[in-house]
Amino acid sequence: RTQYLGGTSALSGATTWVPNTRHAPAVNPDDSPEAVRGFLDAAVGNFSSAASRQAFLDAGPAAIHALEDNSEVKFRPYATHPDYEQQHAGATMRGRALEPLPFDGRALGDNLKYIRPPIPEFTIFGGMMVDRTDINHLLKMKTGGKSLLHAVRILANYGRDRLAGQKRGTRLVMGNALIGRFLKSILDRGVDILVSTEVTDIAASGGGVTGVALAQAGARRNLVARKAVVLAAGGFGRHPAR
């Protein structure tokens, strides 16, 4: 509906909580589906069914792996990222929370303008994005070695962007990296993207959905669905009418 893509996901830290993926053993080799199941039962058992929690545990890792194997979306486990409800049995300090790898926004070309700008709290020097890993290296850069090299690399990157006339850094992290990676993936597949566009109605006929009505810049269009209409938008679960 806006001129940007990504909604609040682009503004977020983009932590994705999916246990027992192929990334987990690197930081928590002792985790297990049984431990996760016990944790979820205690933390959200009164908000969901056992069947839906089990479906999440069964399908979640496969979904992450499918994304990574078939798109530009790539994740990594953070060395220490505790489950938020540590008081429950089965909680762990690492391995279940994933974060997107940083992404070079230059790969998007002019389409970088569609990525929602980060919130100021996630930037320094007026537009250079930094995540937790960057902050740790910047704080340790005076000790030399790996941290100094990392700091010099990202600072040089940002300096190049500003000298090239970029209003923001092209190195994307957290939510910007996730949306940037999604955007690159669908652009490579020739997907058409409409911004500043509102879905005003969903057309249905014969017991099925047949298309959508759109409004853009004062004009209205009707799109006929060849196969299906997928609603990939957040928030509807909290909206009584929708």
Side-chain angles (χ1 to χ4, degrees), residues 30-48:
D30 298 324
D31 201 8
S32 68
E34 292 73 26
V36 180
R37 189 181 303 112
F39 170 75
L40 283 178
D41 288 345
V44 296
N46 55 331
F47 293 106
S48 62

Side-chain angles (χ1 to χ4, degrees), residues 18 20 23 32 45 54 57 81 121 130-131 136 141 164-165 177 190-191 210 219 228 230 233 238 240-241:
V18 180
N20 301 131
H23 297 295
S32 68
Q54 188 60 50
L57 293 177
H81 193 302
E121 290 82 359
V130 289
D131 61 14
N136 288 334
M141 62 183 294
V191 175
T210 58
V230 178
R238 292 285 185 176

Side-chain angles (χ1 to χ4, degrees), residues 35-131:
V36 180
R37 189 181 303 112
F39 170 75
L40 283 178
D41 288 345
V44 296
N46 55 331
F47 293 106
S48 62
S49 69
S52 64
R53 295 194 297 277
Q54 188 60 50
F56 168 73
L57 293 177
D58 292 340
I64 293 293
H65 303 160
L67 273 176
E68 294 187 311
D69 292 342
N70 297 284
S71 77
E72 293 290 330
V73 179
K74 300 292 183 284
F75 295 98
R76 65 185 177 192
Y78 201 68
T80 302
H81 193 302
D83 294 334
Y84 293 145
E85 302 283 341
Q86 279 290 305
Q87 71 272 24
H88 299 303
T92 186
M93 292 295 292
R94 56 188 59 82
R96 298 171 183 171
L98 306 175
E99 62 180 0
L101 291 179
F103 180 65
D104 187 351
R106 292 178 297 172
L108 297 172
D110 189 51
N111 292 300
L112 177 62
K113 66 186 179 185
Y114 293 126
I115 303 295
R116 187 176 298 277
I119 60 176
E121 290 82 359
F122 288 168
T123 65
I124 59 176
F125 305 134
M128 173 179 154
M129 291 197 75
V130 289
D131 61 14

Side-chain angles (χ1 to χ4, degrees), residues 130-149:
V130 289
D131 61 14
R132 292 171 291 180
T133 300
D134 299 330
I135 292 171
N136 288 334
H137 283 303
L138 288 168
L139 291 174
K140 298 176 182 178
M141 62 183 294
K142 292 184 178 180
T143 64
K146 182 179 179 180
S147 290
L148 177 61
L149 182 61

Side-chain angles (χ1 to χ4, degrees), residues 136-222:
N136 288 334
H137 283 303
L138 288 168
L139 291 174
K140 298 176 182 178
M141 62 183 294
K142 292 184 178 180
T143 64
K146 182 179 179 180
S147 290
L148 177 61
L149 182 61
H150 183 96
V152 168
R153 185 182 297 118
I154 63 174
L155 289 167
N157 232 8
Y158 183 60
R160 178 205 62 210
D161 290 337
R162 296 309 296 262
L163 289 173
Q166 290 280 356
K167 295 181 179 180
R168 54 161 298 176
T170 58
R171 179 178 177 270
L172 310 182
V173 297
M174 297 182 287
N176 264 214
L178 180 64
I179 299 305
R181 288 180 173 277
F182 272 124
L183 179 56
K184 179 65 167 61
S185 301
I186 63 174
L187 290 173
D188 288 347
R189 286 162 171 76
V191 175
D192 295 323
I193 300 171
L194 302 179
V195 296
S196 303
T197 304
E198 180 182 0
V199 175
T200 58
D201 194 17
I202 297 175
S205 177
V209 172
T210 58
V212 293
L214 307 177
Q216 182 187 48
R220 296 188 177 274
R221 302 171 59 186
N222 293 310

Side-chain angles (χ1 to χ4, degrees), residues 217-242:
R220 296 188 177 274
R221 302 171 59 186
N222 293 310
L223 299 186
V224 176
R226 187 179 60 181
K227 292 184 178 180
V229 173
V230 178
L231 298 179
F236 288 104
R238 292 285 185 176
H239 193 292
R242 291 177 176 172

